[in-house]
């Protein structure tokens, strides 16, 4: 149903009451409405800006960076991930256990138990921290690359799944 605008008011044809010569006209014709100074109102459509495209692509990159596609490694065939706080806590635990002379440690992931020599546990955490840092650096490069793209088409076609290191296997 068409809408019309006059003096900032938007109305449907059946909402317009015209007053002329002391008479009210309900349901005026389109010709009467236009002659009275009303104009057809067309709802504006929103065209996304290049910044909208950038923001959307950066959101995709950020979601991908925090997904299992990036945040994963394998320990004895089991897919796992340890967030930064957990890695830091494990490092403190290993340092404490090593200072007390322990030669092996027990690491838990859910209900899975892993017995490791202390040196292997440290090496695993160091490698995992390096992997996480490389992923972070790659994500930052991808975000910067989106800022450098100059068209909506380039941004839309940009493949952000590249450049990440190979997942670790222990």
């Amino acid at each position: 149903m068409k809408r019309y605008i006059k003096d900032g008011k938007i109305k449907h044809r059946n909402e317009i009451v015209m007053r002329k010569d002391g008479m009210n006209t309900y349901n005026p014709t389109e010709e009467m409405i236009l002659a009275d100074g009303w104009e057809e109102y067309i709802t504006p459509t929103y065209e996304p800006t290049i910044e909208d495209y950038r923001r959307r692509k950066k959101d995709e990159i950020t979601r991908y960076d925090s997904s299992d596609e990036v945040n994963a490694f394998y320990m004895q065939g089991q897919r796992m991930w340890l967030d930064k706080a957990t890695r830091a806590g494990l490092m403190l635990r290993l340092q404490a256990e090593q200072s007390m002379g322990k030669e092996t440690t027990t690491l838990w992931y859910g209900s899975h138990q892993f017995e490791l020599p202390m040196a292997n546990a440290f090496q695993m955490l160091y490698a995992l921290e390096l992997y996480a840092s490389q992923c972070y650096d790659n994500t930052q490069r991808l975000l910067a690359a989106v800022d450098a793209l100059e068209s909506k088409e380039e941004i839309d076609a940009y493949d952000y799944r590249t450049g990440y290191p190979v997942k670790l296997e222990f």
Side-chain angles (χ1 to χ4, degrees), residues 1 3 10-18 27-28 38:
M1 180 182 286
R3 296 187 301 166
I10 301 170
K11 294 186 176 187
H12 291 281
R13 189 181 105 194
N14 62 352
E15 299 173 317
I16 297 173
V17 177
M18 299 178 66
N27 293 321
W38 291 84

Side-chain angles (χ1 to χ4, degrees), residues 91-103:
M91 186 60 71
L92 287 172
R93 174 185 173 167
L94 294 177
Q95 290 168 345
E97 289 177 344
Q98 187 179 48
S99 73
M100 299 305 289
K102 284 189 75 176
E103 294 182 16

Side-chain angles (χ1 to χ4, degrees), residues 43-82:
T43 304
T45 57
Y46 177 73
E47 178 66 30
T49 66
I50 193 163
E51 287 308 315
D52 293 329
Y53 275 74
R54 279 194 179 99
R55 192 171 19 264
R56 184 173 55 225
K57 187 59 72 169
K58 286 180 172 185
D59 287 346
E60 290 174 17
I61 292 168
T62 302
R63 279 193 307 275
Y64 186 74
D65 174 65
S66 60
S67 75
D68 289 347
E69 294 297 319
V70 174
N71 294 334
F73 68 94
Y74 295 91
M75 178 87 163
Q76 298 175 2
Q78 173 156 353
R79 185 184 183 108
M80 306 171 61
W81 183 245
L82 304 174

Side-chain angles (χ1 to χ4, degrees), residues 94-127:
L94 294 177
Q95 290 168 345
E97 289 177 344
Q98 187 179 48
S99 73
M100 299 305 289
K102 284 189 75 176
E103 294 182 16
T104 63
T105 188
T106 303
L107 300 179
W108 289 89
Y109 189 76
S111 61
H112 294 86
Q113 176 182 351
F114 300 95
E115 291 288 328
L116 297 170
M118 196 63 69
N120 291 9
F122 274 110
Q123 282 306 110
M124 182 191 84
L125 280 178
Y126 292 144

